[in-house]
Amino acid sequence: MREKRNVLTYLAEKEWLVMSLWFGLAFLGAILEISRENYNNFLIFRNVFFHVLHQLPLYAAYPAEYYDVNHYGPVFSLMIAPFAGLDINIGAMLWALSGAAALYYAIRQLPLTYLQQNIILLLCAQELMGASGWFQLNQFIGAFIILSFTNTLKGKELWATFFIVLGTFTKLYGIVGLAFFFFSPNPRRFIGGLLLWGAVLFVLPMAISSPQYIINSYYEWYAELVYKNDLNVMVSTFQDISAGGLIRRIFRIPELSNKVIIIPGILLFLSQYLMLKYRYNSRYRLYLLCSVLMFPVLVSSSSESPTYIIAIPAICIWYVMQPAGKWYDIFLFFSILLVSFSHSDVVTPWVRKNLAVPYALKALPCLILWLRIVYEIWMKKFLVYKPVPVPVQVSRLPVNHS
């Protein structure tokens, strides 16, 4: 690790500190909201299980139980099942800590040194606290995307495709894991895994309900997502914290269609595969992972503040790969400030209410970095530096001087 990161490196070498901050802040974020009985998201989630079990409309409003409606697929009923029957406070806490554990495990699987992983965990801890307080699914989605990447690299296509399908059948974001297909040493097994898990996870919720109910629920889910997209763009300032939302709000063009953002975004994303001949280069792979983590957050009108627990690891992964330089440190500082603190009490209420939220500024660092990564892939910048070292053992804290 670079000498100019002495303070960050010093902190990251303290394993007890990393673990305490990661799980401690997740616990703190959850317990504060539990003490206020502010766990509406968890109420929605746990009732997905009961509604599937009793074959009730999965996307209808239930004002007597919670406000808002469910936006996740029927298979989510099985994910939330272990927590649904518990006391509401215990269930909510365990759900939040499970999300933190899933993302922690995923980051530990990255082909980086233990010290680099610790730096990522430290830098993401504040964002995790916010997401945990919202009792979000996003921690799991971020973990699923990373695990689909790491398992593909390891040749464990069955596990990789499991996380892709599970993520897709819950929140759709998981579908971006298909981007790692070309990294697979066994493409046929990858395709076979997708078909296998697609069939299994489509049928599995029928075991606690009925085939017709689940099939109908998928039709209703599609209709709900279309309706939610229109609502996000036209109504809420707390939704659509995306590249489209940023552009619409800063330039005051609320009527701008999301297609104007999504279509160029997809074309730019696909252009990264022009360098696919370098797919065995570790930096190219990690750059593509960073791009994949940020892409669904940037193009989705459903992106909100807690969704950025998916994108913030990308900024940190990119950062630990860079050589020493003050501009990298400055960019990281302002990225963490805008992404992890702009919606918190750290900034003044005036900044939060008049700048950060109304103009979707949380999306700005991710958009800048995503465009930079696309450019660097085009220009083969990932070849300038030597490949990222892949540690043989992760039980120590090696220092990387790359």
Side-chain angles (χ1 to χ4, degrees), residues 292-336:
V292 168
L293 285 168
M294 290 185 286
F295 182 74
V297 180
L298 287 171
V299 301
S300 174
S301 65
S302 294
S303 295
E304 53 188 350
S305 179
T307 313
Y308 277 77
I309 191 60
I310 300 172
I312 191 68
I315 296 175
C316 303
I317 293 168
W318 173 84
Y319 175 72
V320 299
M321 290 193 293
Q322 304 312 308
K326 66 178 182 179
W327 292 113
Y328 295 117
D329 297 331
I330 291 171
F331 179 78
L332 177 75
F333 173 79
F334 283 104
S335 295
I336 297 297

Side-chain angles (χ1 to χ4, degrees), residues 82-99:
F83 309 91
L86 301 175
D87 172 80
I88 183 67
N89 295 330
I90 296 174
M93 177 57 72
L94 290 178
W95 171 255
L97 292 179
S98 295

Side-chain angles (χ1 to χ4, degrees), residues 19-33:
M19 294 288 289
S20 298
L21 283 176
W22 185 261
F23 289 101
L25 289 178
F27 176 85
L28 181 61
I31 199 67
L32 286 174
E33 299 307 317

Side-chain angles (χ1 to χ4, degrees), residues 45-46 49-50 76-86 95 208:
F45 294 170
R46 76 196 298 246
F49 171 75
F50 294 116
F76 181 64
S77 62
L78 302 179
M79 272 190 67
I80 198 66
F83 309 91
L86 301 175
W95 171 255
I208 62 171

Side-chain angles (χ1 to χ4, degrees), residues 240-251 256 260-262 264-266 268-269 272 290-291 293-300 303 308 311-312 314-315 318 331 334-336 338-339 359-376:
D240 197 23
I241 303 177
S242 62
L246 180 76
I247 294 169
R248 275 187 284 267
R249 297 177 193 183
I250 288 179
F251 296 101
L256 181 69
V260 176
I261 306 300
I262 293 176
I266 291 174
L268 286 173
F269 182 86
Q272 297 171 107
C290 293
S291 178
L293 285 168
M294 290 185 286
F295 182 74
V297 180
L298 287 171
V299 301
S300 174
S303 295
Y308 277 77
I312 191 68
I315 296 175
W318 173 84
F331 179 78
F334 283 104
S335 295
I336 297 297
L338 284 177
V339 175
Y359 294 103
L361 293 184
K362 195 161 186 168
L364 183 59
C366 294
L367 178 59
I368 293 172
L369 180 58
W370 187 76
L371 291 173
R372 175 175 181 139
I373 286 175
V374 172
Y375 170 78
E376 290 194 351

